[in-house]
């Protein structure tokens, strides 16, 4: 009976020791889980911020692309007008002499240099 009682006490002591070990392990892993969850939350917040920034940049890019497209269309129109103007100058040089021809040439020349500046920026 005494041997069984001693064995029972040893088994209870082992059980208590294992329960304490289990509680420590659960506590340690609980702390680690909280740390990992904190890191996950931080990364999720950063991801949401980056996503918001990307959406903003995407909208800005689309806006700038629209502006670029409109500017390219305007440049093409100005070039077409310049070509028409130059053709008119060539035709009018033979027919007209004097201030009107000179004036047309200087304004065309000015417009052409502006177009060159605009196309140089692209």
């Amino acid at each position: 009976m005494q041997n069984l009682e001693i064995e029972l006490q040893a088994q209870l002591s082992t059980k208590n020791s294992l329960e304490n070990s289990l509680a420590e392990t659960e506590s340690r892993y609980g702390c680690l889980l909280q740390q990992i969850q904190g890191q996950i939350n931080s990364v999720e917040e950063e991801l949401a911020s980056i996503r918001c920034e990307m959406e903003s940049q995407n909208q800005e890019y689309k806006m700038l692309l629209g502006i670029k497209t409109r500017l390219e269309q305007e440049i093409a129109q100005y070039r077409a007008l310049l070509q028409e103007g130059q053709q008119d100058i060539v035709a009018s040089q033979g027919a007209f002499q004097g201030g009107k021809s000179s004036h047309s040439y200087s304004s065309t020349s000015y417009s052409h240099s502006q177009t060159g500046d605009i196309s140089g920026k692209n």
Side-chain angles (χ1 to χ4, degrees), residues 5-118:
E5 193 67 35
I6 292 172
E7 189 178 331
L8 176 62
Q9 291 301 320
Q11 292 295 328
L12 288 174
S13 177
T14 302
K15 178 185 169 218
N16 287 335
S17 175
L18 289 173
E19 285 176 346
N20 289 338
S21 177
L22 177 62
E24 288 175 10
T25 302
E26 285 176 343
S27 174
R28 187 172 56 244
Y29 283 110
C31 288
L32 287 173
L33 183 61
Q34 286 178 343
Q35 289 175 351
I36 291 170
Q37 189 61 47
Q39 290 174 345
I40 288 171
N41 291 340
S42 174
V43 169
E44 284 177 343
E45 288 174 8
E46 186 177 352
L47 180 62
S49 173
I50 289 171
R51 191 173 285 144
C52 182
E53 185 178 334
M54 283 177 58
E55 288 175 6
S56 174
Q57 287 179 356
N58 189 28
Q59 289 176 353
E60 185 177 351
Y61 171 78
K62 286 179 181 179
M63 180 188 70
L64 290 173
L65 186 61
I67 291 170
K68 177 185 176 266
T69 302
R70 286 191 302 274
L71 286 173
E72 287 173 343
Q73 290 171 350
E74 283 186 42
I75 290 170
Q77 287 176 344
Y78 286 132
R79 284 186 178 149
L81 289 173
L82 282 173
Q83 287 176 353
E84 287 177 21
Q86 288 173 350
Q87 290 172 354
D88 289 345
I89 289 172
V90 170
S92 67
Q93 281 179 347
F96 296 108
Q97 295 295 329
K100 184 174 182 182
S101 176
S102 171
H103 176 69
S104 295
Y105 179 76
S106 65
S107 71
T108 303
S109 190
Y110 177 71
S111 297
H112 182 62
S113 69
Q114 282 184 338
T115 303
D117 288 344
I118 292 172

